Amino acid sequence: MSPPRLFSADASRIASPTTTTAFRRRQVLAERFHDLYELVQRSAYVFGSPLGPFYHQSRHYHLPRFIYFGPHTSNESLRLAFLAGEDPQDVRGTQALLHLVERLALEPELGQGLSLSFFPLLDALGFFAGVADRELALQSWSVGGPPELELLEKDARLQSYHGYVRIETRIRDRDVVVVQLRGYDDESSSASGVELISSDDFHPWPVVFEAAAASAPQSGPLSVAQDLTIRPFELTISLPVAWSEEEAQVAVGSILTRFIVRHRGHQAYGQHL
C-alpha cells in the first residue's frame, strides 16, 4: 500500500508560491512526510494514520498523524499527544517531531508501555494550500472552527489523552526555552510519585518555567476539556526564534526523549505493583 497523500495532487496550483524558497520548503517537507510514511509501514509499533479528509475549495486534505503503540502498551497506558506546526512559515517544530517519530520506528523500546500520538503539522491548509493568517494556536477546538481543529477535537473525544505536549518556536530576544503548564494538578504528581517534567530534562539548554494564566483556557485542547472523559494537561515548550532547524531538532529530541523515558519508567513500575 502506498503512503497516504496529505493533500490533493494539484495542491501546488492552488497556492502559487511567491518565492522559490517557499516552494522548495513545501516540497522538501512533503517528501519528508512521504519517506516517513514508507518507513513506518515496515514498523510493528508506529503507524501513519492521518485524520480526515477535510475539504477546501473543492479539494481534499488530511491532517498528518503518527501513532506509536509500543511494546507492553495496553488500553490502560498513559496516552499523550504531541503537537507542532501551528505556524506554516516555521516548520522547525514539525521537523523535530518527525525526527522523533522516525527514532521511535527504529528504536521502538524507547517508549514501551506508552501510547503516543504525533500531530506534526497542525496548520495543514496554511502550509499545503497557502491559506494565510489563521493563528491556530489562539483558537478554540470547539465545533465550528478551522477544520484541522475540528478533527483534533473529535480525536480528543475518541482517544481520551491524559496530556498534550505542544512545541512552539516563539521566544524572541532570549536564548532560553520557556515552559508553561496548564490543567495539571500538583496533587496528581504527589499521588503518582513522578514529576511531570523537570528542569533536568532540559540540560544543557537554559529553561524558564512560566505560570500560565489563571483564567479558563479559551484555546487549544483545554478549551474542550470539560467535555472530555479525562481532563488532560497541556504542556507548552517554546523554543527561541533564533534557533536553527538543526538546533531545534536536537533540543526537542533530547527534551522529549527524557520526558518519554521518565514516564515509561513510571508506567512500567505501576504495571508491576
Side-chain angles (χ1 to χ4, degrees), residues 146-249:
E148 298 98 325
L149 299 189
E150 288 193 17
L151 289 173
L152 286 172
E153 187 266 345
K154 292 176 182 178
D155 178 74
R157 294 180 183 279
L158 289 173
Q159 303 301 329
S160 296
Y161 297 109
H162 295 94
Y164 289 82
V165 180
R166 299 172 69 163
I167 304 299
E168 297 182 347
T169 49
R170 64 175 178 82
I171 302 303
R172 301 182 184 276
D173 304 324
R174 288 191 295 173
D175 191 22
V176 61
V177 179
V178 175
V179 179
Q180 283 192 341
L181 178 61
R182 301 195 300 171
Y184 187 71
D185 188 348
D186 288 337
E187 293 182 2
S188 300
S189 176
S190 299
S192 66
V194 62
E195 285 185 287
L196 182 66
I197 198 164
S198 164
S199 58
D200 293 339
D201 297 332
F202 295 86
H203 181 78
W205 299 277
V207 60
V208 173
F209 290 84
E210 289 186 350
S215 58
Q218 301 299 318
S219 63
L222 298 194
S223 62
V224 295
Q226 291 184 344
D227 299 327
L228 303 179
T229 304
I230 296 175
R231 298 189 66 172
F233 65 82
E234 181 186 36
L235 179 69
T236 300
I237 300 174
S238 300
L239 310 179
V241 170
W243 280 9
S244 67
E245 185 174 296
E246 182 179 1
E247 288 175 308
Q249 179 174 293

